[in-house]
């Protein structure tokens, strides 16, 4: 299944519009607490980046660096 450029562009645009609307909503009502949900975009992938062993189905520690390699 190939990913088209149009699909990626649409997802990027949706993500950008969502972040801009969240910042605008926080600024208009002078309440910046909801902006902390943006922290989840950083925290949610961390377990996979640090501990992701997708290539090893048995869970052994034979390739500890695979989480970093898979992340980019």
């Amino acid at each position: 299944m190939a990913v088209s450029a149009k699909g990626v562009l649409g997802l990027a645009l949706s993500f950008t519009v969502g972040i801009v609307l969240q910042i605008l909503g926080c600024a208009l009502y002078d309440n910046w607490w909801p902006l902390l949900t943006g922290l989840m975009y950083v925290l949610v992938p961390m377990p996979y980046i640090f501990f992701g062993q997708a290539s090893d189905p048995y869970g052994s520690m034979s390739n500890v660096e695979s989480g970093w390699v898979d992340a980019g």
Side-chain angles (χ1 to χ4, degrees):
M1 184 171 152
V3 178
S4 67
K6 188 176 181 180
V8 172
L9 191 63
L11 286 174
L13 183 65
S14 298
F15 179 78
T16 304
V17 168
I19 296 297
V20 167
L21 288 176
Q22 186 175 12
I23 292 171
L24 182 62
C26 290
L28 288 176
Y29 294 106
D30 198 28
N31 181 9
W32 293 96
W33 284 106
L35 199 57
L36 289 176
T37 59
L39 187 63
M40 289 299 120
Y41 290 112
V42 175
L43 293 179
V44 166
M46 287 299 167
Y48 177 73
I49 290 172
F50 293 131
F51 306 112
Q53 298 288 328
S55 62
D56 189 9
Y58 301 108
S60 67
M61 297 298 284
S62 61
N63 188 4
V64 177
E65 294 86 18
S66 72
W68 292 106
V69 173
D70 290 342

